[in-house]
Amino acid sequence: MKNTILRLILLIAVLAGINWLASVLFFRWDLTEDKRYSISDATKQLLNDLDQDITVNVYLQGDFPAGFERLESATRETLDEFKTYANGHLTVNYSDPTQAVNEEQRQKQFLNLVDRGLTPTNVFANEDGKRTEKIIFPGVIVQADTLAVPVQLLKGNRASSPEEQLNQSYEGVEFEIASAIRLLANRERKKVGLVVSHTKVPPVRLSDLIATIQQNYDVFLDMNNPESYDGLDALLVLKPDSAFSEDEKFKLDQYVVGGGRAIFFVDGSRVDSVSLDGNYAQPIDLNLSDLFFRWGARVNTNLVKDLNCAEILLNVGNMGDQPEIKPLPWRFFPVLNNFGQHPISRNINAVYTRFLSSIDTVGGAAEIVKTPLLMTSPYTQLVNSPALIGYNEARKEPVAADYRGGVKIAGVLLEGSFSSLFKNRILPDDPRAVKFKESGNTGKVIICSDGDIVVNDYDYKRNTPLPLGYDRVSKQTFGNKDFVMHALDYMTDANGLISARTKQVSIRALDKIQIQEKRKFWQTVNLIIPLAFIGVFGGLHYYLRRRKYA
């Protein structure tokens, strides 16, 4: 009796100790191989630092095919993890917009979500031989007080299979929602400068990019030609078509040497329309070649033709007395769907380009790390400018043997400690010598060899700009905007929230033929075997106890 009481007291003491430790020590253990239930340290820090209430309204609810169920589960699991670290400042609401008392009410709910920035998706599924269709909203709206940010969860590369795109969306849930929370909670907005004084592109053709950047950053234009770019968190040079002076190049040099972050969207060749039959391409001198070379890159004065390309509308003849307009592949408009292993370009949709040039990486400084971000397909051909580009080429069937140029780099990230191009060139009596830096802190530079990556199209009938990356021929929106915004995020985010984009979740696909042919068998196995194990274990346990105490 005495031993029993002691054991009871000891058990109570152990349980009380474990309970006390659980109240003061917090840990979560993710046993999955790909750490699918873990979130990045940057996201944890963001949530720990919240000092205002955030509400996340989730509209991905209901009965879906398996791929969307995984996305729904990922959203729920991620937000549960978010709530763990948000110290009570995060509230999550779930609702199914398809649930309504009547069709009129349902349509009102749909229109309300569209007006708030969410895009619906039609889901088709085969269930027991029946084809079903359903409209869903794979997104959330993150809200703080009166401000709200829509978040589209269905992303990824559209060139991938539906299963792969859904898996890419699954991997991106943490980053997409955390980015919206950061936008609402960010008290100190970063400063981004846009160099537009060297471009003839009308402001309306850059409007979508500028409006998108302004949602997250304070934007400064360089129309007044500042003395330096010091104080900016990032600098974007947008499609220049006139040469930079030596003084302007000096300011770019010193900004990067001082640890600045700069992104260049430049052309290697200028392409001008000469007639309805074609264009004329000629080298363009921006007076930046020696600066790029110093950093370890060279933008070539050529044009890349790629078999993986966009289409243009072309008059192929007459149908009666009317011209016949057809979309034809235009190999001078490469579609970039080959990306480097980096969070900036991971899982984004293909990038649309026009008259792309190639980039070579050169020696440069040994401490500069070069990471290709955007690349062409292997089926390329180079055209050196000057050259006449006739539209008649689009009518010709390409000869595969002519497109063996291999993969060409179209965007490269340069990171490290940069040394100045003007080293040993600034004399002591030069006024610039006072603040001149030969080398400095770690900087970052991205060079993209097509200025049109950041230029949006324009709808002249409706007198409104089209979204950046939208192709009016294929009616699809490419990943240009995502690429630019992820690049900016990587450049300016000191806490590294973009590291959440490195999450990888493997697809463990089931054999669809086996599922279809042996559906009942596997359902029976999954139902009976667990119950059989429980029965065997229970019977064995009962037998041993009876044998011991009988």
Side-chain angles (χ1 to χ4, degrees):
M1 183 68 179
K2 184 177 180 181
N3 290 337
T4 303
I5 295 175
L6 288 175
R7 288 178 183 175
L8 180 62
I9 294 174
L10 181 61
L11 177 62
I12 294 174
V14 170
L15 291 176
I18 293 174
N19 194 39
W20 177 79
L21 285 174
S23 66
V24 296
L25 298 177
F26 170 77
F27 71 93
R28 295 169 75 86
W29 193 5
D30 187 352
L31 297 177
T32 58
E33 180 183 357
D34 41 27
K35 302 300 179 185
R36 64 182 60 194
Y37 302 118
S38 300
I39 61 177
S40 67
D41 292 338
T43 302
K44 293 176 185 177
Q45 187 65 46
L46 170 69
L47 296 169
N48 277 320
D49 292 342
L50 284 178
D51 58 1
Q52 60 178 318
D53 292 335
I54 302 288
T55 301
V56 181
N57 298 302
V58 183
Y59 299 99
L60 185 61
Q61 285 287 105
D63 297 325
F64 309 127
F68 281 95
E69 284 185 354
R70 288 184 70 242
L71 183 58
E72 178 191 13
S73 298
T75 305
R76 185 182 297 274
E77 292 158 1
T78 300
L79 288 172
D80 287 344
E81 195 75 6
F82 278 20
K83 289 169 64 176
T84 302
Y85 294 95
N87 300 319
H89 288 294
L90 188 68
T91 303
V92 182
N93 300 320
Y94 297 92
S95 61
D96 183 359
T98 63
Q99 298 296 320
V101 294
N102 53 49
E103 185 61 28
E104 182 181 355
Q105 182 64 30
R106 183 181 294 107
Q107 293 301 322
K108 284 184 179 179
Q109 291 176 177
F110 288 174
L111 290 175
N112 177 54
L113 292 179
V114 171
D115 291 339
R116 296 178 69 184
L118 292 184
T119 303
T121 298
N122 277 9
V123 175
F124 299 92
N126 289 316
E127 298 179 358
D128 297 327
K130 297 180 180 179
R131 183 174 175 83
T132 61
E133 178 181 358
K134 184 178 182 180
I135 296 177
I136 67 171
F137 283 82
V140 305
I141 293 179
V142 184
Q143 189 165 347
D145 296 328
T146 59
L147 299 176
V149 178
V151 178
Q152 200 69 23
L153 297 178
L154 183 58
K155 291 205 167 185
N157 193 318
R158 293 190 182 93
S160 305
S161 67
E163 292 81 5
E164 290 174 328
Q165 186 183 356
L166 280 167
N167 193 64
Q168 291 169 2
S169 302
Y170 181 110
E171 295 171 342
V173 166
E174 177 192 338
F175 174 76
E176 298 295 338
I177 299 179
S179 295
I181 294 175
R182 180 182 60 182
L183 177 61
L184 295 172
N186 193 9
R187 295 178 295 275
E188 182 181 356
R189 288 166 63 92
K190 298 294 180 68
K191 300 177 178 62
V192 175
L194 305 181
V195 178
V196 295
S197 56
H198 280 268
T199 183
K200 295 186 179 68
V201 176
V204 72
R205 301 289 299 277
L206 297 170
S207 58
D208 189 40
L209 175 67
I210 295 175
T212 304
I213 295 176
Q214 284 177 330
Q215 294 176 9
N216 301 336
Y217 305 91
D218 290 334
V219 176
F220 298 86
L221 304 181
D222 73 333
M223 302 304 291
N224 296 325
N225 199 13
E227 292 184 4
S228 72
Y229 297 115
D230 294 342
L232 294 177
D233 296 291
L235 183 70
L236 273 68
V237 180
L238 306 180
K239 195 175 171 59
D241 47 33
S242 60
F244 286 76
S245 67
E246 287 297 308
D247 185 54
E248 291 170 325
K249 185 163 61 175
F250 176 81
K251 287 186 292 186
L252 292 171
D253 171 272
Q254 289 296 284
Y255 174 71
V256 172
V257 169
R261 277 81 167 128
I263 309 177
F264 293 81
F265 296 94
V266 298
D267 296 318
S269 296
R270 184 201 310 275
V271 179
D272 298 313
S273 177
V274 293
S275 69
L276 295 176
D277 296 326
N279 302 286
Y280 182 70
Q282 56 183 324
I284 182 172
D285 182 15
L286 300 174
N287 194 29
L288 295 176
S289 299
D290 51 352
L291 187 60
F292 291 169
F293 196 88
R294 183 75 170 189
W295 294 340
R298 177 177 59 223
V299 178
N300 299 307
T301 57
N302 57 21
L303 296 177
V304 178
K305 295 168 66 178
D306 195 335
L307 291 183
N308 186 31
C309 61
E311 295 179 325
I312 59 172
L313 295 175
L314 204 62
N315 183 1
V316 296
N318 291 331
M319 181 71 70
D321 59 348
Q322 297 294 325
E324 186 178 4
I325 308 297
K326 283 189 176 181
L328 294 175
W330 185 231
R331 289 170 285 278
F332 287 98
F333 285 6
V335 173
L336 306 179
N337 201 25
N338 184 10
F339 304 113
Q341 296 299 315
H342 197 276
I344 292 176
S345 51
R346 175 171 165 74
N347 287 349
I348 66 172
N349 196 17
V351 174
Y352 182 90
T353 67
R354 297 186 179 100
F355 300 115
L356 173 76
S357 298
S358 65
I359 295 177
D360 290 334
T361 56
V362 295
E367 57 269 19
I368 302 300
V369 179
K370 309 175 185 70
T371 306
L373 299 176
L374 300 176
M375 291 170 285
T376 67
S377 78
Y379 308 107
T380 61
Q381 182 186 108
L382 295 180
V383 176
N384 294 317
S385 58
L388 186 63
I389 304 169
Y391 289 124
N392 190 55
E393 183 177 334
R395 297 186 177 95
K396 300 177 182 178
E397 192 69 24
V399 179
D402 295 338
Y403 290 83
R404 303 296 186 192
V407 174
K408 305 299 179 187
I409 298 175
V412 62
L413 168 67
L414 311 170
E415 300 176 279
S417 179
F418 294 86
S419 60
S420 175
L421 174 67
F422 295 85
K423 184 179 180 179
N424 301 325
R425 291 168 55 182
I426 301 297
L427 299 176
D429 58 349
D430 191 320
R432 298 176 296 181
V434 178
K435 297 182 179 180
F436 176 69
K437 298 183 287 287
E438 291 188 357
S439 60
N441 301 324
T442 301
K444 300 178 182 178
V445 172
I446 295 176
I447 301 175
C448 297
S449 54
D450 179 26
D452 288 302
I453 289 177
V454 294
V455 178
N456 59 263
D457 210 338
Y458 191 80
D459 188 340
Y460 291 97
K461 290 183 178 179
R462 296 189 301 162
N463 196 31
T464 182
L466 296 172
L468 178 60
Y470 179 78
D471 174 28
R472 60 171 75 222
V473 178
S474 64
K475 309 298 182 186
Q476 69 167 302
T477 302
F478 289 90
N480 297 43
K481 188 188 298 186
D482 284 339
F483 173 76
V484 178
M485 297 309 297
H486 292 164
L488 259 180
D489 197 15
Y490 180 75
M491 294 294 204
T492 60
D493 183 17
N495 295 327
L497 183 61
I498 198 172
S499 63
R501 286 180 49 77
T502 61
K503 177 180 287 188
Q504 288 184 290
V505 178
S506 302
I507 300 178
R508 296 174 173 86
L510 299 175
D511 189 324
K512 295 182 179 179
I513 303 298
Q514 289 281 340
I515 293 174
Q516 190 69 27
E517 294 179 349
K518 301 180 180 180
R519 183 185 186 93
K520 297 297 183 182
F521 170 76
W522 288 114
Q523 286 178 337
T524 303
V525 168
N526 284 318
L527 179 64
I528 297 299
I529 289 182
L531 294 176
F533 270 115
I534 294 174
V536 171
F537 177 78
L540 182 62
H541 183 262
Y542 173 76
Y543 169 76
L544 293 175
R545 283 181 58 83
R546 184 173 181 178
R547 182 178 178 182
K548 180 177 181 180
Y549 296 107

